[in-house]
Amino acid sequence: MSGRMDGKVALVTGGSSGIGRATAIAFAKEGGKVVIAARRVPEGEETVRQIVEAGGEATFVQTDVTQALEVQTLVDRTLERYGRLDCAFNNAGSGKPGKLIELAEADWEQEMAVNLKSVWLCLKYEIPAMLRSGKGAIVNMSSQGGILGVPNYGAYAAAKGGVAALTRAAAAEYAANGIRINAVSPGAVETELWANAPAGMLEQVATGIPLQRVGQPNDIAEAVLWLCSAAAGFVTGQNLAIDGGYTTSN
């Protein structure tokens, strides 16, 4: 394997399935050495297996990205194994529906922890690792929900909007150090989260998207790969909507 990530070490959180797995595989196909972090061990190890069987190099570190010590350990283990960190995709997160006035305080705090605090913790430990090398590229996972108002997902939307704002602030703080920090905001993407959706729901969603289809994990993976590559060397502080044109038409 060789390509845009030759000689680079990439870290992917939430790499056990969906967009995270697709991105980890994309990094490896382009020559990167990939560290995959997730809470689910069998699924995370399956991502490693797929990469290794295809001739790439990867390792798995079980991690709860809402816990500072575990994130610090993740980055430390990356440095111990590979000696550097060049790219990171802070992808881990989830969304729980609920009307704002019906959410319990614990639900709100969980949404903030999983979707926003986790990104801050990853930045907190990834950036010092990249400062050692004098450069790096980070992509944070925001969401179309952080751009548009989404009924019944207020806490999730607030957290993802926070990720976009945090990304801009971090990019401004560390641009002079050679570290580029961007975000991606996917729209509807066909992942395991849709497994229990009613029959025909994906097709119905697609009719409201200008490109007339929902996204695939590889659509997001390719954008993340580009943002981490030299081709995006003059791009930082941006939030890239990857939604088939939905946010431009709503």
Side-chain angles (χ1 to χ4, degrees):
M1 291 186 178
S2 62
R4 289 172 284 180
M5 292 290 121
D6 274 355
K8 293 186 177 181
V9 177
L11 170 61
V12 178
T13 70
S16 57
S17 64
I19 293 169
R21 174 177 286 173
T23 304
I25 291 171
F27 277 135
K29 283 182 177 178
E30 291 289 335
K33 300 173 183 177
V34 188
V35 178
I36 295 144
R39 289 182 299 175
R40 298 181 297 173
V41 175
E43 292 86 346
E45 291 179 342
E46 171 60 19
T47 304
V48 171
R49 185 194 66 78
Q50 291 185 26
I51 289 172
V52 171
E53 284 195 354
E57 183 171 349
T59 188
F60 173 71
V61 180
Q62 185 180 23
T63 308
D64 180 347
V65 290
T66 69
Q67 302 300 311
L69 182 58
E70 294 197 29
V71 177
Q72 182 179 19
T73 299
L74 167 65
V75 175
D76 285 347
R77 288 185 61 180
T78 300
L79 296 176
E80 288 167 6
R81 183 175 180 89
Y82 295 115
R84 61 187 297 119
L85 177 62
D86 301 290
C87 308
F89 180 32
N90 299 325
N91 163 69
S94 65
K96 181 178 181 179
K99 291 184 179 296
L100 286 175
I101 63 173
E102 296 173 0
L103 286 174
E105 186 174 356
D107 294 330
W108 176 273
E109 291 175 348
Q110 178 66 12
E111 288 296 291
M112 294 302 124
V114 172
N115 294 300
L116 179 55
K117 176 188 175 184
S118 65
V119 175
W120 166 66
L121 286 174
C122 287
L123 292 172
K124 179 177 175 64
Y125 294 104
E126 292 162 355
I127 289 171
M130 292 179 179
L131 288 172
R132 292 169 46 170
S133 302
K135 61 181 178 178
I138 299 172
V139 178
N140 298 323
M141 176 62 91
S142 187
S143 170
Q144 175 184 285
I147 300 172
L148 302 172
V150 182
N152 301 317
Y153 281 89
Y156 173 81
K160 290 301 190 178
V163 169
L166 177 61
T167 296
R168 290 190 294 270
E173 285 187 30
Y174 293 98
N177 300 101
I179 299 174
R180 297 185 300 102
I181 306 172
N182 293 287
V184 290
S185 285
V189 177
E190 187 174 4
T191 66
E192 64 181 19
L193 297 177
W194 288 90
N196 297 319
M201 178 63 73
L202 275 173
E203 291 78 6
Q204 181 180 344
V205 169
T207 63
I209 298 172
L211 287 183
Q212 294 291 291
R213 70 174 179 89
V214 298
Q216 297 297 318
N218 280 337
D219 291 322
I220 317 304
E222 286 297 324
V224 174
L225 181 63
W226 177 75
L227 285 169
C228 287
S229 74
F234 201 50
V235 181
T236 195
Q238 301 304 303
N239 180 18
L240 178 61
I242 312 170
D243 60 4
Y246 187 84
T247 53
T248 64
S249 59
N250 286 272

